[in-house]
Amino acid sequence: LSDNAMTNLAGISALGIAFFPTSSEELIQDNLRNFLSSENIGYIHYGFAASFFTILALISILNFRRSQEKELFGTGPDDPFYFKCGIVMLSCLILVPVFKIWLEPQVKWLQNIHSTFLLEAVALIAFGLSWLKKGRADFDFLLKKVGIK
């Protein structure tokens, strides 16, 4: 699919994430959230989130690695970086249910790290890095700006 189609699908998924809140009881309770939230709505939220992160991973793995000539797909100097970022995103997506269904019920301290949010953050950082690299961001300037270099 084209860049436009992929980003439109990701945008629709992001709207679905926002409009359908999770059913987690750990979040701040308010009247609107209590009115809107249910277990089924939470499943819809996770479905949109899964499609959102899958689309972002595919953008990094496929769209960012395209070239003008089909034979040169994946052969650019930055293409391994985009591929690795996509794999990190997909790995995080797979690990969310692994943590929630199998690991957190068995290992109590894992419940305190909020694994879903942690894995989502890692996936977003991976996409952000691939997006910045694709946009030819000046990483040296960025590192100097935040005081790391």
Side-chain angles (χ1 to χ4, degrees):
L1 290 173
S2 70
D3 289 346
N4 192 30
M6 294 292 276
T7 53
N8 284 340
L9 289 172
I12 291 166
S13 295
L15 288 173
I17 292 167
F19 289 138
F20 296 97
T22 64
S23 58
S24 175
E25 296 304 319
E26 296 175 13
L27 301 176
I28 296 172
Q29 297 291 318
D30 61 28
N31 290 338
L32 180 62
R33 193 190 152 301
N34 285 335
F35 175 73
L36 293 174
S37 185
S38 73
E39 190 170 338
N40 292 333
I41 296 295
Y43 292 139
I44 294 170
H45 173 88
Y46 281 117
F48 276 117
S51 69
F52 176 72
F53 285 108
T54 301
I55 292 165
L56 292 185
L58 292 175
I59 288 171
S60 188
I61 292 171
L62 300 175
N63 292 39
F64 286 179
R65 297 171 62 219
R66 287 185 183 153
S67 63
Q68 297 292 343
E69 300 166 27
K70 289 183 181 180
E71 301 81 32
L72 298 177
F73 173 81
T75 60
D78 295 333
D79 289 353
F81 180 79
Y82 303 135
F83 183 78
K84 289 172 187 170
C85 286
I87 295 301
V88 166
M89 288 183 266
L90 292 175
S91 299
C92 288
L93 184 65
I94 291 167
L95 286 174
V96 167
V98 169
F99 270 79
K100 282 291 178 195
I101 295 169
W102 293 293
L103 295 178
E104 285 184 8
Q106 304 291 328
V107 184
K108 291 292 183 198
W109 67 268
L110 284 176
Q111 296 171 2
N112 297 328
I113 67 166
H114 305 287
S115 61
T116 299
F117 298 120
L118 179 69
L119 292 166
E120 286 174 345
V122 171
L124 285 174
I125 290 168
F127 182 74
L129 290 172
S130 68
W131 183 275
L132 287 170
K133 192 162 190 75
K134 184 65 175 178
R136 308 243 189 276
D138 185 354
F139 283 105
D140 286 333
F141 171 78
L142 292 173
L143 293 174
K144 287 176 188 173
K145 194 74 171 169
V146 296
I148 295 175
K149 194 170 182 181

